């Protein structure tokens, strides 16, 4: 079975991690094709046009068109027990939830859904004296995976834009990593700008909403000359549009940025 071929998984457990984040543990023999090192990679969850989950591959084949897909980070993966942990932001910054968040909030143990993956892993370039991680809650699972793989002597800062103070999580990170929780795009961007950039050899990992990403990218690339190999920056969503439209806008923006 190829990684692009959808497979069925079962909800083993559902837990409200914080006010606006739900954690699901998915399981199934189909996860045996996933490599043990797939944490921080992504999966695609499949839905019907009406937002209902695609529960099995037979249902998938009956669709006249393509399923609706939503992308999520693999937060944890246990290759021995074939269990995958995925965290979902329940209520976006615009106050609305899409099909995946709605499903994650209301599903229960024993429910099934089809997924595809795993997708690529994007980790920070650790070859630097100082690391900067920045993102909103959609990026928190990927940031957490990054932090857990850093050497003990790593120095840097993590800036996370949360929806509510109660959305703070306990993160596993080296002692030299400072974690700063903020609320709102203005505070998020100003906190990034207020870091000490001086002559330090810096690597940056940043993922957030599209318009915020573009402002941050300008700051990193133009104002601070962070080289391409030391800069990972991506938009995980765009205010007011669905993932399908965001994908198109993201591709167009990437082409312009190359020029």
């Amino acid at each position: 079975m190829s990684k692009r071929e959808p497979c069925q998984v079962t909800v083993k457990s559902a837990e409200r991690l914080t006010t606006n984040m739900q954690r699901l543990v998915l399981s199934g023999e189909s996860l045996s094709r996933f490599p043990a090192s797939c944490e921080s990679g992504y999966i695609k969850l499949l839905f019907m046009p009406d937002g209902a989950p695609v529960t099995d591959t037979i249902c998938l084949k009956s669709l006249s068109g393509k399923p609706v897909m939503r992308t999520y980070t693999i937060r944890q993966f246990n290759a021995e027990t074939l269990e995958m942990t995925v965290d979902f932001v329940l209520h976006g910054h615009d106050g609305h939830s899409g099909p995946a968040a709605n499903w994650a909030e209301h599903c229960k143990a024993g429910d099934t859904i089809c997924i595809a993956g795993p997708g690529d892993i994007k980790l920070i370039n650790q070859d630097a004296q100082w690391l900067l991680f920045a993102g909103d809650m959609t990026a928190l699972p990927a940031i957490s995976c990054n932090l857990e793989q850093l050497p003990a002597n790593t120095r840097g800062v993590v800036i996370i834009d949360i929806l509510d103070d109660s959305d703070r999580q306990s993160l596993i990170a080296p002692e030299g990593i400072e974690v700063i929780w903020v609320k709102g795009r203005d505070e998020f961007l100003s906190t990034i700008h207020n870091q000490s950039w001086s002559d330090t050899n810096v690597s940056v990992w940043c993922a957030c909403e599209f318009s915020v990403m573009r402002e941050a990218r300008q700051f990193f690339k133009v104002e601070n000359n962070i080289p391409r190999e030391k800069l990972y920056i991506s938009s995980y969503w765009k205010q007011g549009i669905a993932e399908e439209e965001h994908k198109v806008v993201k591709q167009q923006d990437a082409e312009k940025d190359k020029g």
Side-chain angles (χ1 to χ4, degrees):
M1 181 183 292
S2 72
K3 74 176 186 178
R4 294 188 178 277
E5 186 176 347
C7 63
Q8 183 194 62
V9 292
T10 301
V11 177
K12 182 174 182 180
S13 64
E15 172 193 5
R16 185 62 62 87
L17 201 59
T18 66
T19 298
N20 292 294
M21 187 163 277
Q22 182 88 336
R23 170 165 289 179
L24 300 185
V25 177
L26 308 175
S27 63
E29 289 298 322
S30 61
L31 295 179
S32 61
R33 78 166 193 241
F34 282 63
S37 59
C38 66
E39 292 176 346
S40 190
Y42 64 83
I43 57 171
K44 300 279 187 178
L45 289 91
L46 278 53
F47 296 89
M48 306 289 282
D50 64 0
V54 175
T55 56
D56 55 53
T57 54
I58 296 175
C59 176
L60 180 63
K61 292 177 181 178
S62 69
L63 282 174
S64 58
K66 292 183 179 180
V68 174
M69 294 188 287
R70 292 295 179 263
T71 307
Y72 281 84
T73 299
I74 301 170
R75 176 64 184 86
Q76 296 173 334
F77 182 65
N78 189 320
E80 294 183 1
T81 62
L82 297 180
E83 294 176 354
M84 176 184 294
T85 300
V86 183
D87 293 344
F88 297 75
V89 181
L90 297 182
H91 306 289
H93 289 251
D94 57 1
H96 300 288
S97 296
N102 285 328
W103 173 77
E105 185 172 10
H106 298 104
C107 72
K108 59 186 184 300
D111 288 352
T112 60
I113 191 170
C114 285
I115 67 170
D120 295 337
I121 295 174
K122 302 293 186 180
L123 297 177
I124 197 167
N125 184 337
Q126 296 183 14
D127 184 21
Q129 296 175 347
W130 189 79
L131 307 183
L132 173 70
F133 297 91
D136 57 29
M137 289 186 65
T138 65
L140 185 49
I143 290 174
S144 298
C145 290
N146 265 276
L147 294 175
E148 291 168 7
Q149 299 184 45
L150 296 177
N153 62 348
T154 304
R155 295 172 52 251
V157 171
V158 180
I159 303 166
I160 303 173
D161 178 13
I162 53 178
L163 294 167
D164 187 88
D165 287 334
S166 60
D167 287 315
R168 298 186 182 204
Q169 297 183 22
S170 296
L171 304 182
I172 300 173
E175 290 185 5
I177 296 289
E178 178 187 7
V179 180
I180 304 174
W181 303 93
V182 301
K183 287 193 296 182
R185 62 176 289 154
D186 291 344
E187 187 178 358
F188 177 70
L189 289 168
S190 65
T191 304
I192 290 174
H193 285 226
N194 290 336
Q195 299 307 306
S196 176
W197 293 90
S198 61
D199 297 323
T200 304
N201 180 9
V202 177
S203 278
V204 174
W205 191 104
C206 179
C208 49
E209 192 273 335
F210 179 79
S211 64
V212 180
M213 178 279 295
R214 294 188 70 182
E215 288 192 43
R217 186 178 64 197
Q218 173 75 11
F219 177 73
F220 295 138
K221 290 184 64 174
V222 178
E223 298 182 38
N224 284 281
N225 298 310
I226 304 297
R228 185 175 294 274
E229 68 272 14
K230 296 289 185 70
L231 174 62
Y232 170 78
I233 186 161
S234 178
S235 61
Y236 276 8
W237 60 289
K238 188 177 188 302
Q239 184 86 27
I241 63 174
E243 183 170 325
E244 295 81 4
E245 298 168 273
H246 170 233
K247 183 178 180 181
V248 175
V249 172
K250 188 174 180 179
Q251 290 174 338
Q252 293 172 342
D253 177 72
E255 288 301 318
K256 291 179 181 178
D257 186 52
K258 287 180 182 178

